[in-house]
């Protein structure tokens, strides 16, 4: 596998609210150095909704010699707002590329589910529900969705290519029916669940046999028992604030299972490496807002539901990296072993 990648969150922006508070450039560079040196990554997908933070993290990654996948992540925006974000980010990505960095621009992630105007619904759950609710209408609904997605992506490609001269991709869900002709790399968010586990490897092999390089993003799971079977529903165990959408606690008691998270990522990375995937980006390094709380009510230990391969600590530093406020999970070691091998 050419690009051994990790996804690094700079912050998600939803309705004007940021998911990550402190953004210390020194910490960002240190974490990216750990991703390169200790996880043995040679590429990083920088995601988020703030162009300045994206550029800051991408600049640090470039200085460390990492391949950068510059990935603005719009949430609940309309088409024009998304294009405005892409214009800004494409100019920043091009500045990095001209200074010698290897940069791939990712023109959005799962746009049809995470944003307005592609599917009916006020949130991702309602939009996916619209597709799943009426099986007899699903084929037509997916056809119409594909037309809308590709019409928008045509505008997005034109907008980005006016400003960015490097390689271009889009992180798609398969039901979006993306026309890959305008893109340099085919990228899918491939998440294995119990329902598709028996045919997952074959599907990856088929996708990798296409005429363009295949990248896989968005794959990961949490550290509670059975999380890997849930696939994209892994965060359904979390209760959120109805207004801010901030995570509050788990909706029940779920047994902590770091070994299960580690095994899931090891298995998927083995599949991607053996079946011809060009680039893979584990989702993700750290997930802000999901602290590890080992004492007290297990429902308050939000890290059990975090897809991060490190666990955030509250009020103290870690042992493995005494200058960081997190500690590696078993998944950290598993990823490092896969990438080193």
């Amino acid at each position: 596998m050419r690009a051994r990648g990790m996804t690094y969150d700079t912050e998600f922006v939803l309705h004007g609210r940021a998911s990550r508070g402190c953004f210390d450039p020194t910490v960002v560079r240190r974490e990216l150095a750990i991703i390169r040196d200790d996880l043995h990554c040679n590429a990083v997908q920088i995601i988020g909704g703030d162009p300045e933070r994206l550029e800051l993290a991408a600049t640090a990654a470039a200085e460390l010699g990492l391949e950068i996948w510059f990935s603005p992540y719009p949430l609940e925006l309309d088409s024009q707002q998304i294009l405005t974000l892409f214009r800004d980010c494409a100019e920043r990505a091009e500045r990095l590329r001209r200074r010698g960095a290897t940069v791939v621009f990712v023109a959005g992630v799962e746009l049809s589910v995470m944003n307005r105007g592609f599917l009916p619904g006020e949130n991702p759950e309602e939009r996916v529900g619209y597709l799943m609710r009426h099986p007899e209408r699903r084929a037509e609904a997916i056809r119409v969705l594909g037309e809308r997605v590709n019409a928008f992506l045509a505008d997005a490609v034109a907008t980005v290519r006016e400003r960015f001269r490097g390689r271009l991709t889009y992180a798609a869900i398969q039901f979006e029916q993306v026309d890959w002709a305008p893109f340099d790399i085919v990228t899918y968010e491939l998440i294995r669940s119990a329902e598709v586990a028996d045919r997952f490897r074959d599907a990856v092999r088929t996708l990798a046999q296409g005429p363009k390089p295949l990248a896989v993003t968005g794959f990961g799971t949490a550290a509670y028992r059975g999380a890997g079977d849930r696939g994209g529903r892994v965060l359904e165990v979390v209760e959120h604030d109805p207004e801010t959408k901030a995570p509050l606690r788990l909706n029940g008691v779920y047994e902590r299972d770091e070994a299960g998270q580690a095994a899931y990522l090891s298995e998927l990375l083995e599949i991607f490496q053996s079946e011809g995937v060009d680039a893979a980006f584990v989702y993700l390094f750290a997930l802000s807002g999901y602290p590890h709380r080992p004492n007290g009510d297990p429902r308050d230990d939000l890290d059990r539901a975090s897809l991060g391969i490190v666990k955030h600590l509250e009020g103290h530093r870690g042992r493995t990296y005494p200058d960081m406020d997190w500690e590696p999970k078993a998944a950290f070691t598993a990823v490092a072993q896969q990438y080193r091998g």
Side-chain angles (χ1 to χ4, degrees):
M1 192 159 62
R2 184 191 60 80
R4 307 179 303 278
M6 178 60 57
T7 302
Y8 186 82
D9 164 36
T10 59
E11 70 169 356
F12 296 102
V13 179
L14 178 63
H15 304 307
R17 297 188 181 96
S19 64
R20 179 172 175 171
C22 179
F23 194 73
D24 184 339
T26 303
V27 172
V28 171
R29 183 181 175 85
R30 171 73 168 130
E31 290 177 336
L32 290 168
I34 290 169
I35 287 170
R36 182 193 66 178
D37 298 336
D38 297 357
L39 286 171
H40 309 289
C41 294
N42 59 4
V44 62
Q45 181 187 17
I46 308 288
I47 64 172
D50 182 330
E52 290 189 8
R53 288 191 175 191
L54 286 167
E55 185 176 18
L56 186 152
T59 300
E63 292 169 353
L64 290 165
L66 290 163
E67 178 176 312
I68 300 152
W69 285 45
F70 201 107
S71 185
Y73 202 122
L75 292 173
E76 299 301 340
L77 303 182
D78 62 32
S79 295
Q80 289 307 308
Q81 290 171 320
I82 296 171
L83 291 176
T84 297
L85 175 64
F86 286 177
R87 287 187 193 97
D88 189 343
C89 289
E91 291 172 357
R92 295 170 188 268
E94 178 63 10
R95 284 200 294 266
L96 277 172
R97 194 192 68 81
R98 288 184 177 179
R99 292 201 293 266
T102 301
V103 186
V104 176
F105 191 92
V106 184
V109 180
E110 299 184 350
L111 290 173
S112 67
V113 170
M114 307 307 293
N115 293 275
R116 303 195 298 268
F118 299 96
L119 286 167
E122 296 301 315
N123 54 55
E125 294 75 23
E126 290 184 7
R127 293 167 193 140
V128 173
Y130 168 79
L131 287 177
M132 300 296 106
R133 199 161 38 243
H134 301 291
E136 71 281 2
R137 304 178 194 167
R138 192 173 302 156
E140 177 62 13
I142 288 176
R143 185 191 66 78
V144 172
L145 172 63
E147 291 177 352
R148 290 175 180 168
V149 168
N150 285 305
F152 172 77
L153 288 177
D155 291 339
V157 167
T159 297
V160 173
R161 290 213 185 273
E162 285 179 1
R163 298 160 176 82
F164 177 72
R165 297 292 181 264
R167 290 182 296 167
L168 179 61
T169 190
Y170 166 66
I173 314 172
Q174 284 182 279
F175 62 63
E176 289 176 319
Q177 303 293 300
V178 171
D179 173 8
W180 292 107
F183 296 98
D184 302 296
I185 301 166
V186 172
T187 302
Y188 283 110
E189 300 262 292
L190 289 184
I191 305 170
R192 191 185 68 182
S193 66
E195 293 86 351
V196 301
D198 62 339
R199 53 191 185 276
F200 187 83
R201 181 184 290 272
D202 290 341
V204 172
R205 182 184 304 125
T206 298
L207 291 172
Q209 290 171 349
K212 295 184 178 182
L214 173 67
V216 182
T217 57
F219 65 95
T221 196
Y224 64 86
R225 189 164 301 281
D229 291 339
R230 290 175 176 258
R233 306 186 306 277
V234 69
L235 288 173
E236 289 180 356
V237 303
V238 182
E239 294 178 357
H240 295 86
D241 183 286
E243 298 217 355
T244 66
K245 306 302 180 184
L248 298 175
R249 65 186 322 200
L250 305 185
N251 62 14
V253 177
Y254 298 88
E255 181 183 353
R256 187 171 189 85
D257 186 17
E258 288 194 25
Q261 182 189 30
Y264 181 94
L265 288 174
S266 291
E267 290 163 12
L268 264 61
L269 287 172
E270 185 279 322
I271 290 171
F272 299 152
Q273 292 185 49
S274 63
E275 300 302 338
V277 171
D278 178 69
F281 295 87
V282 173
Y283 189 87
L284 79 170
F285 183 71
L287 187 59
S288 182
Y290 288 74
H292 177 43
R293 294 166 177 156
N295 304 313
D297 190 331
R299 292 174 294 182
D300 293 328
D301 184 16
L302 282 164
D303 177 70
R304 298 184 190 204
S306 169
L307 285 80
I309 64 168
V310 304
K311 50 196 170 192
H312 279 292
L313 309 174
E314 289 188 310
H316 64 97
R317 301 286 185 176
R319 293 182 179 179
T320 307
Y321 299 97
D323 55 338
M324 296 287 102
D325 62 355
W326 48 260
E327 187 69 18
K329 296 185 197 176
F332 183 104
T333 301
V335 171
Q337 290 175 342
Q338 285 290 323
Y339 281 165
R340 183 173 57 238

